[in-house]
Amino acid sequence: MGVVSDRTAAEHEPGEHEPGDREPGEHEPGKREPADRQPGDRQPADREPKQDRARATRQRILSAAVACLAEHGWSGSTVAVVCARAGVTRGAAQHHFRTREELFTAAIAHMAEEWLAAVRARARALPGSGQDRTYAVVDMLVAVHTGPLFRAALHLWVAATDEPALRTRVAALEARIGREAHRLAVEFLAADESVPGVREAVQATLDMARGLGLANLLSDDSARRAGIVRQWSRTLDAVLRPPAA
């Protein structure tokens, strides 16, 4: 696989890096800092706005990469397509991400963090307890797995099976996201995993959500999915809170 410009840095055509390709705050080659600047001195006043613009550019590239994966899949999500969608040059993209694999795994990781933050925020509005809360948590987890982030991640997962350079990155990312998703599910469900069968039931909920996400890829599966979510939430609630003997 190639670098973000689809060629190694040494293979760039003459003139491909325009002056505007350099990220804000990046020094021109050969340009020296003032001789009297000491380590720890405060940066120039304009450095922070430049860093803000650089962060905004990076966020725009990552969001465009996720959208491209969801719409075009791995093979159709070239760096050129991402750059066009983000409205940046290849040079700007390469400043942040050296390789295509690095770009797309960073994009999924970035969106996963945003998803986790959104899930935590939504959890504050969940019903307080009982079967209504169990249903709301299951419904939320399924909704996440039938959304655009899951679709984008799935394309990356499938590509990783044939791309050795991608496989290691994706495997580590999947493990981290899986652990955090399980932890949040346990937290939101107030599940006591020391009770036999509870840990397996929580993991089965996440596995079911993935399966429903796969079923939704080819056609709208919302009607059947709604019935499954209702039934599984009742089953799960019985495992979480069995009736007193």
Side-chain angles (χ1 to χ4, degrees), residues 82-147:
V82 173
C83 289
R85 189 178 189 115
V88 302
T89 64
R90 287 187 171 189
Q94 189 178 32
H95 175 78
H96 292 284
F97 308 103
R98 295 172 301 167
T99 67
R100 185 185 183 203
E101 294 82 6
E102 183 179 321
L103 166 62
F104 284 101
T105 50
I108 296 299
H110 163 73
M111 293 304 291
E113 290 301 323
E114 289 198 346
W115 167 72
L116 292 172
V119 166
R120 292 186 188 99
R122 289 177 62 178
R124 290 194 286 268
L126 291 172
S129 61
Q131 189 172 324
D132 287 345
R133 183 179 180 87
T134 302
Y135 170 79
V137 172
V138 173
D139 187 57
M140 179 175 65
L141 292 172
V142 170
V144 167
H145 286 83
T146 53

Side-chain angles (χ1 to χ4, degrees), residues 34-243:
D36 59 348
R37 180 170 298 163
Q38 299 298 320
D41 283 355
R42 184 174 179 81
Q43 298 290 345
D46 64 344
R47 179 63 58 86
E48 289 185 8
K50 288 179 179 179
Q51 291 175 339
D52 289 342
R53 288 195 296 273
R55 282 192 291 268
T57 298
R58 188 177 192 276
Q59 298 281 72
R60 198 160 67 246
I61 294 169
L62 292 173
S63 296
V66 171
C68 287
L69 268 180
E71 294 177 14
H72 308 302
W74 173 254
S75 60
S77 296
T78 64
V79 173
V81 169
V82 173
C83 289
R85 189 178 189 115
V88 302
T89 64
R90 287 187 171 189
Q94 189 178 32
H95 175 78
H96 292 284
F97 308 103
R98 295 172 301 167
T99 67
R100 185 185 183 203
E101 294 82 6
E102 183 179 321
L103 166 62
F104 284 101
T105 50
I108 296 299
H110 163 73
M111 293 304 291
E113 290 301 323
E114 289 198 346
W115 167 72
L116 292 172
V119 166
R120 292 186 188 99
R122 289 177 62 178
R124 290 194 286 268
L126 291 172
S129 61
Q131 189 172 324
D132 287 345
R133 183 179 180 87
T134 302
Y135 170 79
V137 172
V138 173
D139 187 57
M140 179 175 65
L141 292 172
V142 170
V144 167
H145 286 83
T146 53
L149 176 59
F150 178 77
R151 183 182 292 268
L154 182 63
H155 285 299
L156 196 63
W157 266 230
V158 172
T161 63
D162 296 321
E163 300 283 346
L166 196 59
R167 190 179 306 137
T168 301
R169 290 177 178 273
V170 171
L173 175 62
E174 194 277 337
R176 180 164 63 86
I177 293 173
R179 286 193 300 270
E180 183 64 8
H182 185 96
R183 189 191 67 78
L184 287 177
V186 169
E187 177 186 334
F188 298 155
L189 291 166
D192 181 359
E193 292 195 304
S194 67
V195 175
V198 168
R199 179 175 180 80
E200 291 78 10
V202 171
Q203 187 58 50
T205 302
L206 294 170
D207 292 343
M208 179 196 70
R210 284 189 176 189
L212 291 175
L214 287 170
N216 195 59
L217 288 176
L218 297 179
S219 62
D220 182 3
D221 197 43
S222 55
R224 185 180 72 93
R225 185 167 67 245
I228 292 173
V229 169
R230 282 193 299 271
Q231 179 57 45
W232 178 252
S233 66
R234 289 192 289 266
T235 301
L236 177 61
D237 196 68
V239 175
L240 297 175
R241 281 166 284 278

